[in-house]
């Protein structure tokens, strides 16, 4: 691993200024993704700025309407265990508890989690096969290579990778906001617009600019929040990233869906909202598998599988059906 210095800061403005001015400096929170990327020679920062001491960023606060503001430096395990999160947004707790391992969740922060980079094996391979995300212009080894785990929605010829975060899928379904502080002050980025599709610039994962610091994720109160569920399908039951995953949150009256929120992981370069299905599902009976399946299918009409991942189209739809029905059983 190449040499680097480590300094700590307790001053957000100082951190933002240093990051904006110095493109060889990286923020470090838990370090569980950044250090892996450095060991795999994907990224070579010379200066790491430890942001764990920034005041007011490691707690969960009430928003006036019953929503929650989750500080970016909160640990994944603390957020998962918070009684307000468990009660109001079980989909967040479940997404977190199905992520990584207990040790990793104790170190890893919420801000770092939503910033983690793709697990595409070519991107992480320290032998450096062609990868536009790692080396812009070099090509995409996955496009006609090993692409079983890759995207079925929103990919480009330049990159077919998926975004790996589980909790990001829950945040997208709940229409959370990312609170970002930068040189120009604080701004709010809707969660569904925070991560980018690859287009011709797969090296850019998010809408953040140099200097930008995530300070919190705000989850507004949702009628569907309590009846919510995260379903993750993976090759082994623990310590594995999703093949496909679903965050479902529903509001139902006497067994019929009044409103539904749906997002998927493992299918695109960002958490993927199923907006057509959300509309088509309104009014459907929770025990009418046929009607639910047809409504869910409306969001898969534009799926574009790669050579090795067509199985995800059926798998994803089955997962959505089960996630909705499980969420609907919750009081
Ligand atoms: C073996 C393994 C298995 C895993 N399995 C899963 C899984 O199943 N599901 C899942 O969701 N995740 C999984 N992860 C990923 C893990 O959850 C992330 O590594 C972790 O959440 C990153 O958080 P961190 O605080 O350690 O980030 P860091 O590694 O410190 O930082 C990651 C990136 O975010 C930037 N950053 C950090 N905080 C901020 C901030 N406040 N503002 C702006 N930029 C910031 C850093 O500069 C860096 O670029 C796994 C990781 C490993 C190693
Ligand atoms: S899918 Fe994206 S990350 Fe993977 S090899 Fe292609 S360009 Fe690189």
């Amino acid at each position: 691993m190449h040499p680097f210095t480590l300094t700590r800061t307790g001053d957000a403005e100082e951190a933002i200024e240093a990051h904006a001015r110095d493109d060889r400096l990286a923020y470090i929170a838990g370090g569980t993704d950044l250090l892996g990327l450095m060991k795999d020679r994907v990224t070579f920062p010379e200066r790491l700025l430890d942001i764990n001491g920034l005041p007011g960023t490691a707690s969960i606060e009430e928003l006036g309407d019953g929503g929650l503001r989750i500080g970016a430096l909160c640990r994944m395990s603390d957020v998962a265990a918070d009684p307000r999160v468990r009660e109001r947004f079980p989909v967040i707790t479940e997404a977190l508890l199905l992520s990584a391992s207990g040790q990793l969740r104790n170190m890893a922060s919420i801000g770092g989690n939503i910033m983690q980079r793709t697990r595409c094996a070519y991107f992480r391979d320290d032998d450096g096969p062609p990868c536009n995300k790692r080396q812009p212009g070099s090509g995409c080894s996955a496009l006609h290579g090993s692409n079983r785990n890759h995207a079925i929605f929103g990919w480009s010829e330049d990159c077919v990778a998926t975004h790996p975060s589980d909790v990001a899928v829950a945040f997208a379904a709940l229409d959370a906001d990312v609170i970002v502080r930068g040189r120009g002050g604080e701004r709010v980025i809707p969660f569904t617009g925070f991560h980018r599709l690859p287009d011709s610039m797969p090296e850019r994962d998010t809408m953040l600019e140099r200097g930008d610091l995530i300070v919190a994720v705000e989850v507004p109160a949702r009628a569907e929040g309590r009846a919510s569920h995260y379903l993750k399908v993976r090759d082994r039951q623990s310590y594995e990233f999703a093949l496909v995953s679903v965050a479902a949150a529903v509001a139902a009256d006497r067994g019929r869906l009044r409103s539904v929120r749906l997002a998927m992981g493992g299918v695109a370069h960002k958490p993927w909202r199923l907006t057509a299905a959300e509309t088509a599902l309104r009014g459907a009976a929770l025990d009418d598998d046929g009607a639910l399946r047809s409504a869910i299918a409306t969001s898969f009409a534009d799926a574009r599988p790669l050579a090795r991942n067509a199985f995800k189209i059926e798998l994803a739809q089955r997962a959505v059906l089960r996630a909705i029905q499980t969420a609907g059983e919750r009081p």
Side-chain angles (χ1 to χ4, degrees), residues 19 26-35 37 51 72-73 75-76 95 98-101 104 107-116 119 164-167 208 212-215 232 234 239-242:
H19 194 275
Y27 296 139
I28 183 165
T32 62
D33 195 36
L34 182 60
L35 291 176
L37 292 166
I51 54 174
L73 274 301
R75 265 45 217 182
M76 291 168 73
L98 290 171
S99 302
S101 65
L104 283 160
M107 276 305 284
S109 67
I110 292 294
N113 183 281
I114 65 174
M115 289 293 288
Q116 67 176 289
R119 304 308 292 198
S165 164
D166 288 296
V167 75
L208 294 192
D212 284 346
L213 178 72
I214 303 167
V215 291
K232 180 171 178 178
R234 44 190 167 169
Y239 202 47
E240 184 55 285
F241 291 90

Side-chain angles (χ1 to χ4, degrees), residues 91 173 224 227-231 246-250 260-263 320 323-324 327:
V91 66
E224 307 89 350
S228 63
H229 177 56
Y230 189 73
L231 178 66
V246 187
V250 310
V260 188
R261 299 177 162 277
L262 291 171
V320 176
I324 291 171

Side-chain angles (χ1 to χ4, degrees), residues 9 14 19 46 177 185 194 202 205 221-222 236 247 260 282 329:
T9 182
E14 187 183 277
H19 194 275
E46 287 168 9
D177 288 317
F194 179 75
D205 294 340
R222 293 286 172 212
R236 56 180 183 195
V260 188
R282 275 187 218 131
E329 284 164 10

Side-chain angles (χ1 to χ4, degrees), residues 226-304:
R226 284 171 204 259
S228 63
H229 177 56
Y230 189 73
L231 178 66
K232 180 171 178 178
V233 182
R234 44 190 167 169
D235 282 330
R236 56 180 183 195
Q237 258 315 96
S238 72
Y239 202 47
E240 184 55 285
F241 291 90
L243 269 177
V244 300
S245 69
V246 187
V250 310
D253 276 335
R254 288 186 290 274
R256 278 191 186 276
L257 291 165
R258 189 155 38 87
S259 60
V260 188
R261 299 177 162 277
L262 291 171
M264 292 207 71
V267 296
H269 197 257
K270 58 187 285 186
W272 194 255
R273 267 305 271 275
L274 305 184
T275 45
E278 289 177 4
T279 306
L281 282 161
R282 275 187 218 131
L286 269 163
D287 60 359
D288 186 344
D289 286 16
L292 296 179
R293 275 181 174 278
S294 318
I296 292 164
T298 58
S299 272
F300 287 82
D302 56 350
R304 285 188 301 146

Side-chain angles (χ1 to χ4, degrees), residues 303-316:
R304 285 188 301 146
L306 299 158
R308 292 182 168 78
N309 70 3
F311 73 94
K312 281 193 179 185
I313 296 180
E314 175 60 21
L315 179 64

Side-chain angles (χ1 to χ4, degrees), residues 22-331:
D22 180 356
D23 64 4
R24 305 313 300 263
L25 179 145
Y27 296 139
I28 183 165
T32 62
D33 195 36
L34 182 60
L35 291 176
L37 292 166
M38 291 167 69
K39 287 182 198 161
D40 290 339
R41 295 189 284 131
V42 176
T43 185
F44 301 91
E46 287 168 9
R47 287 164 285 285
L48 300 187
L49 186 58
D50 181 340
I51 54 174
N52 289 293
L54 293 180
T57 55
S59 57
I60 302 178
E61 315 282 344
E62 291 280 346
L63 294 173
D65 64 352
L68 294 173
R69 178 182 167 102
I70 301 171
L73 274 301
C74 287
R75 265 45 217 182
M76 291 168 73
S77 47
D78 293 333
V79 177
D82 187 280
R84 296 164 296 179
V85 176
R86 294 170 72 98
E87 190 197 330
R88 295 176 209 176
F89 307 109
V91 66
I92 295 178
T93 291
E94 291 172 356
L96 287 167
L97 292 180
L98 290 171
S99 302
S101 65
Q103 290 95 328
L104 283 160
R105 294 193 296 269
N106 287 340
M107 276 305 284
S109 67
I110 292 294
N113 183 281
I114 65 174
M115 289 293 288
Q116 67 176 289
R117 306 206 71 194
T118 184
R119 304 308 292 198
C120 172
Y122 299 108
F123 173 72
R124 300 257 169 182
D125 184 341
D126 63 5
D127 282 342
C131 170
N132 288 320
K133 191 179 275 296
R134 183 172 173 143
Q135 181 66 48
S138 61
C140 172
S141 295
L143 182 62
H144 301 296
S146 176
N147 51 35
R148 175 177 179 269
N149 293 339
H150 290 66
I152 56 171
F153 290 114
W155 52 267
S156 72
E157 299 278 313
D158 288 329
C159 180
V160 294
T162 57
H163 183 70
S165 164
D166 288 296
V167 75
V169 182
F171 287 147
L174 294 166
D175 274 322
D177 288 317
V178 186
I179 313 301
V180 175
R181 205 175 294 163
R183 264 180 158 173
E186 196 162 289
R187 67 188 194 281
V188 176
I189 305 179
F191 206 91
T192 48
F194 179 75
H195 295 99
R196 295 181 67 258
L197 287 178
D199 303 321
S200 57
M201 272 199 304
E203 68 274 19
R204 285 200 63 191
D205 294 340
T206 70
M207 300 306 286
L208 294 192
E209 306 287 347
R210 287 299 305 172
D212 284 346
L213 178 72
I214 303 167
V215 291
V217 174
E218 290 190 354
V219 189
R222 293 286 172 212
E224 307 89 350
R226 284 171 204 259
S228 63
H229 177 56
Y230 189 73
L231 178 66
K232 180 171 178 178
V233 182
R234 44 190 167 169
D235 282 330
R236 56 180 183 195
Q237 258 315 96
S238 72
Y239 202 47
E240 184 55 285
F241 291 90
L243 269 177
V244 300
S245 69
V246 187
V250 310
D253 276 335
R254 288 186 290 274
R256 278 191 186 276
L257 291 165
R258 189 155 38 87
S259 60
V260 188
R261 299 177 162 277
L262 291 171
M264 292 207 71
V267 296
H269 197 257
K270 58 187 285 186
W272 194 255
R273 267 305 271 275
L274 305 184
T275 45
E278 289 177 4
T279 306
L281 282 161
R282 275 187 218 131
L286 269 163
D287 60 359
D288 186 344
D289 286 16
L292 296 179
R293 275 181 174 278
S294 318
I296 292 164
T298 58
S299 272
F300 287 82
D302 56 350
R304 285 188 301 146
L306 299 158
R308 292 182 168 78
N309 70 3
F311 73 94
K312 281 193 179 185
I313 296 180
E314 175 60 21
L315 179 64
Q317 292 179 83
R318 290 186 191 199
V320 176
L321 174 66
R322 208 168 103 199
I324 291 171
Q325 290 180 325
T326 306
E329 284 164 10
R330 300 203 156 149

